[in-house]
Amino acid sequence: MSTQSSNKNKFIYALVDSTDLSIFNVRGVNKSTVYSLACNDIAAIVSDLDKSRVRPDRRNIMAHREVLEQLMRQCNGVLPMRFGIVAQNSMAVKALMSANIMLIKEQMQRVWGQVEMGLRVTWDVDNIYEYFVATHPLLREARDSIMVGGREASRAEKIELGRIFDQLLMEERKQYTDTVVDVLQDYCTEISVGTPKVNNEVMNISCLVKKDEQDDFEKGIFEASKLFNNDYLFNYTGPWAPHSFVDLELQTPQKQTVL
């Protein structure tokens, strides 16, 4: 465990609206003590580091997440920092806050009293390509046309078949995402649409929701899911710190270092 020192490197977890935070029930990265550094009515939540870098391993990432979870329970305004932000010392942290105070307070107001909820919708099928072949005549006809007589498809034909599949996939994702967003916008302050990472993912969206309206948000998820058949799986997570709704491009003051 580290001992607090103003001259040590500071791992920054978040910026918060309260400067009266002194008791933390969790340990930070490397099992370090977590504490706050106040400046201009806001505070940076930090812990000390002996080095200027932190390994993004599972243990440290989980520690980072647990600190944020506690902050979300204690504070109405939490601006989470991405994992790995390290400042040279206490003075550098305070200088960073002071130089960006207007942006920080603007972003704080944006997420005040709110949490992030995630929704991931997937096609719950064994093979997404075969599913599209079975449900889309255009793709099925294109596939069948190049398999006549059991011949081997040419490279150009395979590319064209892949293009048709990708186009249909993109169109359905947009259609279904628009459908869900149309429902959930009545239950959220903001919605951020992410990029699907795998073929069977329909959508991956993040929603900014008021803390006291999480039950209503769950009702919105249920309402949206009723518009889909059993080929679709809805999975929502949260509450989380509002990473997807914080846009902090902090300017580093001269003579101070954020590593």
Side-chain angles (χ1 to χ4, degrees):
M1 299 180 187
S2 60
T3 302
Q4 295 180 26
S5 169
S6 62
N7 293 323
K8 282 190 174 182
N9 295 318
K10 307 300 175 187
F11 183 95
I12 308 177
Y13 300 87
L15 304 176
V16 301
D17 62 293
S18 175
T19 59
D20 188 26
L21 289 174
S22 57
I23 300 176
F24 294 90
N25 298 320
V26 294
R27 289 285 174 177
V29 298
N30 299 330
K31 298 183 179 181
S32 55
T33 299
V34 178
Y35 60 99
S36 61
L37 292 173
C39 179
N40 293 326
D41 299 324
I42 60 173
I45 308 305
V46 305
S47 63
D48 292 348
L49 288 176
D50 292 326
K51 299 179 180 180
S52 62
R53 295 287 185 271
V54 179
R55 288 177 59 85
D57 57 30
R58 183 179 183 277
R59 183 179 61 181
N60 284 331
I61 291 173
M62 288 301 297
H64 183 234
R65 179 179 296 177
E66 287 169 3
V67 171
L68 291 177
E69 287 176 356
Q70 177 170 330
L71 292 174
M72 293 299 295
R73 291 191 292 269
Q74 289 183 262
C75 307
N76 279 316
V78 178
L79 301 183
M81 305 292 281
R82 62 177 173 80
F83 182 89
I85 300 298
V86 179
Q88 194 172 42
N89 50 40
S90 294
M91 185 179 296
V93 174
K94 292 182 179 182
L96 185 69
M97 288 191 285
S98 181
N100 296 275
I101 188 63
M102 295 303 294
L103 174 61
I104 292 169
K105 290 191 173 183
E106 175 187 308
Q107 293 287 306
M108 197 83 72
Q109 186 63 36
R110 180 185 181 189
V111 300
W112 182 268
Q114 301 185 86
V115 297
E116 180 171 323
M117 301 294 291
L119 172 64
R120 182 172 182 260
V121 181
T122 56
W123 279 284
D124 190 22
V125 298
D126 292 333
N127 186 302
I128 186 62
Y129 174 74
E130 293 298 334
Y131 173 77
F132 266 62
V133 167
T135 55
H136 295 76
L138 177 64
L139 182 62
R140 183 167 61 253
E141 291 169 6
R143 192 275 310 267
D144 292 346
S145 69
I146 65 175
M147 296 179 64
V148 176
R151 70 179 180 85
E152 178 68 22
S154 68
R155 182 173 181 274
E157 288 172 326
K158 290 178 179 178
I159 291 174
E160 176 61 14
L161 194 62
R163 186 197 65 78
I164 295 173
F165 172 61
D166 289 342
Q167 181 66 28
L168 291 171
L169 195 65
M170 182 177 65
E171 290 174 354
E172 291 221 347
R173 281 172 171 162
K174 184 179 186 310
Q175 174 190 340
Y176 293 139
T177 300
D178 289 347
T179 296
V180 171
V181 168
D182 188 55
V183 173
L184 291 185
Q185 64 185 356
D186 293 333
Y187 300 90
C188 307
T189 304
E190 291 185 46
I191 295 177
S192 174
V193 178
T195 302
K197 296 179 175 61
V198 292
N199 272 352
N200 75 324
E201 191 169 82
V202 184
M203 69 191 76
N204 188 350
I205 66 178
S206 301
C207 302
L208 191 62
V209 180
K210 294 180 180 177
K211 286 185 177 181
D212 58 359
E213 294 182 2
Q214 292 178 60
D215 289 344
D216 288 338
F217 174 76
E218 292 179 9
K219 293 176 183 177
I221 294 289
F222 180 70
E223 181 182 336
S225 69
K226 291 192 296 183
L227 302 176
F228 292 74
N229 63 31
N230 292 334
D231 293 334
Y232 300 85
L233 181 64
F234 278 63
N235 181 32
Y236 69 93
T237 59
W240 310 111
H243 288 277
S244 301
F245 302 94
V246 172
D247 184 19
L248 281 178
E249 293 293 336
L250 300 180
Q251 300 300 312
T252 305
Q254 290 185 353
K255 298 183 181 180
Q256 301 297 338
T257 305
V258 175
L259 307 172

